[in-house]
Amino acid sequence: MSRHTARLIALTVASAGVLAVPAVAHASVTNGPIGRSEILARAQYWVDSGITYTQTGTWFQDPEGDKTYRRDCSGLVSMAWHLGTSYVTGDFQGSSQYWTRLASRDQLAPGDAIVRNGHMELFSHWKNPGNHNDGAYVYSFNNTGETVQNPWADSNKGNEGFNSAADLASYTPIRRTGLAAANRDSLSADGHAELVRKDAAGGLFAYYNNGLNSAGGVNWSGDVQVGNGWTDPDGAVYFADLDGNGQTDAIRKDAAGALLAYYNHGITGSMTVRWTGPKQIGVGWTMADDAVYFADLTGDGYAEAIRKDPNGDLFAYYNNGVHGTGAVAWSGPVRIGIGWPADGNAIQFADLSGDGYAEAIRKDGDKLFAYYNNGINGDMTVRWNGPVEIDAGLTVPDTSVYFGDLNGDTRADRVTKEGTDLVVRYNDGITGDLRVTWSSPKAIGNGWDMADTSIYVA
């Protein structure tokens, strides 16, 4: 497949794979914790409602329909942040328990806001994450009779929501407090990775991670069915945090090469998952299932999409945030590696160092080699450091090696399936020569007699 064949788009489509629980679009409560994806979804609700700016007209409701807000710039931010008061711009220039000032505009991330005398806007994403001088896309509500200017379509006056670097320089950046923490993704958003298995009938079953016991094992919950109808091949199912809310989303690749996302909006009292979707986030992904990966390369909490071509080239599609309708603002493709092995299962991505940036990991025979991620260059390539040998004597198949943060210390641990047993070696840190200090092996499960590829760390 050529480097230009795979492309990422944003459309909502029907799907054969359905999830077992009803969708809920909005999980927060007034003044309570809120995820970045929900902030953007709430802003998009006003876009999709087609309301127009007014300083004197009737206030407009939030997505829940139980509160109204001013139809102006500060009302938009108050509503998107799910605040209990429709604040005015001057309020946002002061201090509050519900927002804080950022040290630099370069720190802006999706769902943050910018404010100056008389006006404010909601930040969506950078045009080029590697060069903020290229400007940024925003939600802006500021002219009488005009709909919300936004990143995805022109307003009724033909205006797009975009600011140049010079425009941005006139604002002060602020951030909603109580955001879901980035880089702690798991199904339950507590930073302790869960296990998921897929059965022959297409059911997905989660084993929730309730922390470690005194022997170093994991206190797993019983299996809880969190999905059905996932009859695609095992390798066509992925788990990653696409929308930056700390909760891993489910992704499937269908036979036609479409990528479909099911967003995770929280866990119910019965431990099922509040999924929304499916949302089509890509087409043309007709390469092998094991040549597709999802990992956070930039450290912003949003997983990138990565593909491997038959010639061994790796290409990243950077995730600049999730549109309110479920679309992903992808960049790319950007080539981030060459000469990677033909076997896709020999390649994985995981954050070994605990800095939020996913490393690339290659299994070569019985050895593991890490390429440490030292950040993104201005041309969006990755500053890799390596390879560094981090393990040896690993004689299990490539498909029997998994990575995920089981103990909640932000560093990815290594799990192997040995026969029908699951064994973990905890990642106790990186040495000065970039080796990984692995713990002694700890048994964390038995009776896992299904195929290696039907087990996922999520």
Side-chain angles (χ1 to χ4, degrees):
M1 187 196 73
S2 77
R3 60 184 293 180
H4 301 296
T5 301
R7 60 191 179 93
L8 294 169
I9 63 170
L11 298 172
T12 302
V13 298
S15 167
V18 294
L19 291 170
V21 291
V24 291
H26 305 283
S28 67
V29 297
T30 303
N31 290 332
I34 187 169
R36 293 186 181 277
S37 62
E38 184 179 343
I39 292 173
L40 296 180
R42 292 173 69 87
Q44 187 65 29
Y45 169 73
W46 271 21
V47 174
D48 297 339
S49 298
I51 64 169
T52 56
Y53 182 100
T54 177
Q55 283 284 329
T56 59
T58 303
W59 293 14
F60 194 71
Q61 65 186 12
D62 60 8
E64 294 76 23
D66 57 10
K67 184 169 179 55
T68 59
Y69 296 83
R70 299 165 56 93
R71 284 162 49 193
D72 59 13
C73 60
S74 57
L76 171 68
V77 174
S78 298
M79 183 278 302
W81 282 2
H82 208 170
L83 300 175
T85 299
S86 187
Y87 292 98
V88 297
T89 307
D91 295 327
F92 284 105
Q93 291 179 288
S95 60
S96 170
Q97 63 179 311
Y98 299 119
W99 59 82
T100 185
R101 181 175 294 190
L102 299 177
S104 167
R105 282 177 291 275
D106 288 328
Q107 295 178 342
L108 284 166
D112 292 338
I114 51 177
V115 61
R116 67 187 182 196
N117 288 336
H119 186 54
M120 69 183 312
E121 299 175 340
L122 190 74
F123 182 88
S124 176
H125 61 279
W126 295 105
K127 182 178 181 180
N128 179 357
N131 185 358
H132 295 174
N133 289 327
D134 288 347
Y137 292 95
V138 297
Y139 287 87
S140 180
F141 205 24
N142 56 356
N143 294 311
T144 300
E146 185 174 12
T147 55
V148 179
Q149 297 175 23
N150 68 92
W152 313 108
D154 289 345
S155 71
N156 62 345
K157 303 294 186 182
N159 295 316
E160 181 183 45
F162 180 79
N163 281 343
S164 68
D167 293 332
L168 292 171
S170 66
Y171 289 93
T172 297
I174 59 175
R175 175 168 295 165
R176 170 73 149 83
T177 55
L179 289 173
N183 306 320
R184 292 186 59 81
D185 45 308
S186 65
L187 283 181
S188 59
D190 65 357
H192 293 73
E194 273 72 55
L195 288 177
V196 177
R197 67 175 172 87
K198 183 165 82 70
D199 69 12
L204 293 180
F205 295 84
Y207 296 76
Y208 289 98
N209 180 342
N210 295 313
L212 305 190
N213 58 39
S214 58
V218 178
N219 293 316
W220 299 111
S221 73
D223 61 339
V224 178
Q225 186 164 358
V226 296
N228 59 63
W230 288 70
T231 54
D232 307 275
D234 295 343
V237 179
Y238 316 88
F239 291 89
D241 185 7
L242 293 174
D243 57 9
N245 67 356
Q247 299 158 334
T248 48
D249 308 304
I251 306 154
R252 74 178 184 89
K253 183 165 82 71
D254 71 13
L259 296 179
L260 301 159
Y262 298 75
Y263 291 102
N264 177 348
H265 282 185
I267 308 301
T268 69
S270 59
M271 302 306 291
T272 54
V273 181
R274 297 186 179 97
W275 302 107
T276 65
K279 306 292 185 182
Q280 185 167 310
I281 59 171
V283 297
W285 288 70
T286 53
M287 69 291 293
D289 298 337
D290 64 7
V292 177
Y293 318 88
F294 294 88
D296 180 10
L297 297 176
T298 63
D300 63 359
Y302 294 76
E304 275 66 57
I306 304 165
R307 66 176 171 86
K308 184 174 73 69
D309 281 1
N311 64 1
D313 289 351
L314 293 178
F315 291 88
Y317 297 74
Y318 288 97
N319 180 342
N320 295 316
V322 175
H323 179 206
T325 61
V328 179
W330 300 109
S331 77
V334 178
R335 187 164 61 180
I336 60 169
I338 59 174
W340 286 78
D343 186 355
N345 288 313
I347 303 169
Q348 297 201 49
F349 293 86
D351 181 12
L352 296 173
S353 62
D355 63 357
Y357 295 80
E359 275 68 57
I361 304 166
R362 171 173 61 87
K363 185 171 179 289
D364 186 358
D366 68 346
K367 295 181 178 180
L368 288 180
F369 294 88
Y371 297 73
Y372 287 96
N373 179 344
N374 292 317
I376 308 300
N377 297 308
D379 62 358
M380 302 306 295
T381 56
V382 181
R383 292 194 293 272
W384 299 114
N385 183 357
V388 177
E389 184 180 326
I390 59 170
D391 210 347
L394 196 61
T395 57
V396 298
D398 299 344
T399 53
S400 296
V401 181
Y402 317 88
F403 290 91
D405 182 11
L406 296 184
N407 60 4
D409 65 359
T410 73
R411 297 186 296 265
D413 307 305
R414 196 208 76 195
V415 179
T416 54
K417 180 169 172 281
E418 302 175 10
T420 63
D421 294 338
L422 294 181
V423 177
V424 65
R425 285 183 180 266
Y426 296 108
N427 178 347
D428 291 333
I430 309 301
T431 65
D433 59 357
L434 297 180
R435 311 285 179 175
V436 178
T437 303
W438 301 110
S439 75
S440 60
K442 307 288 184 182
I444 58 170
N446 56 59
W448 289 72
D449 56 0
M450 68 288 296
D452 301 342
T453 52
S454 65
I455 300 170
Y456 313 89
V457 178

